[in-house]
Amino acid sequence: MTVRTSTWDPADRLKSPERIAGYLEAAFEDGDPALIAAALGDVARARGMTALANETGLSRESLYRSLSADGRPEFATILKVMRALDLRMQPVPVGAE
């Protein structure tokens, strides 16, 4: 018996603002900076990296590099990307959910 696998890309499933928000919320709840950067990268690819590069003023290569699991984006980069994706970070007291 042969097992067939296929590549799964989360960017293929991130089509609505609600799915994007839920995906990023889960990454932020985890708290791992590498996971957050990679999740932002997934959302950026879902929206279109070229358009995001144009909107943020950053190069596509820089975005791909920064928004990967191995990337270490500056906070300013994260803010630019979030703003370009029509998202914001909102401080919420722990336990207030």
Side-chain angles (χ1 to χ4, degrees):
M1 179 179 200
T2 303
V3 176
R4 298 190 69 185
T5 62
S6 61
T7 305
W8 185 80
D9 185 356
D12 294 337
R13 307 288 191 273
L14 299 172
K15 301 301 181 194
S16 72
E18 294 79 19
R19 283 191 178 202
I20 290 169
Y23 186 67
L24 289 176
E25 185 177 337
F28 275 88
E29 283 178 4
D30 182 272
D32 179 2
L35 179 64
I36 294 167
L40 277 171
D42 293 338
V43 173
R45 286 185 301 104
R47 288 279 188 96
M49 200 62 87
T50 301
L52 187 65
N54 290 335
E55 202 165 332
T56 61
L58 303 167
S59 72
R60 280 185 40 222
E61 295 79 15
S62 173
L63 286 172
Y64 275 114
R65 195 173 35 256
S66 294
L67 301 178
S68 71
D70 297 326
R72 298 189 55 92
E74 292 185 11
F75 192 64
T77 300
I78 291 173
L79 291 177
K80 284 181 184 179
V81 169
M82 296 277 293
R83 193 172 306 118
L85 294 171
D86 294 325
L87 298 167
R88 65 176 174 183
M89 283 193 250
Q90 184 174 2
V92 177
V94 174
E97 299 86 40

